[in-house]
Amino acid sequence: IKAFAEWRSKRDEAKYRLPTEAEWEYVARNGSDNNLFPWGDNVESDRAVIDQPTLRDVGSFPNGKNKWGVLDLIGNAWEWTSSEVK
């Protein structure tokens, strides 16, 4: 993933990177609202791939967005960040 971000940055003459874990948490919890999920505090299976056995296309759950409109913050696949795993 890091190599892809470096390649894309060079291609587009822009800087791309994965967020840190802290940045990802801030966005996934709606900033200072500190929600449990991007859409609020209640589990709602129609907002993310939570208990489903297969992956879904990016953007398959438009109701799962956070207050800034960011989709796909939880579920579906592992969330990758630039923070080192300890």
Side-chain angles (χ1 to χ4, degrees):
I1 295 298
K2 185 177 178 184
F4 176 80
E6 290 170 357
W7 168 82
R8 185 73 184 256
S9 294
K10 187 174 182 179
R11 187 196 80 171
D12 294 355
E13 297 180 356
K15 178 67 177 164
Y16 297 110
R17 66 175 177 81
L18 290 172
T20 65
E21 185 174 352
E23 290 168 335
W24 179 87
E25 282 286 338
Y26 183 84
V27 174
R29 294 183 177 274
N30 282 313
S32 60
D33 293 351
N34 201 29
N35 296 118
L36 293 175
F37 303 99
W39 56 84
D41 290 325
N42 298 314
V43 174
E44 297 183 39
S45 62
D46 66 334
R47 295 180 182 250
V49 178
I50 298 172
D51 293 329
Q52 299 167 8
T54 59
L55 298 177
R56 298 284 298 272
D57 291 340
V58 170
S60 292
F61 294 91
N63 291 331
K65 65 186 175 198
N66 72 359
K67 68 180 182 181
W68 298 293
V70 180
L71 293 169
D72 302 311
L73 288 164
I74 66 165
N76 211 28
W78 191 257
E79 292 84 14
W80 288 8
T81 69
S82 61
S83 299
E84 289 190 32
V85 177
K86 294 181 182 191

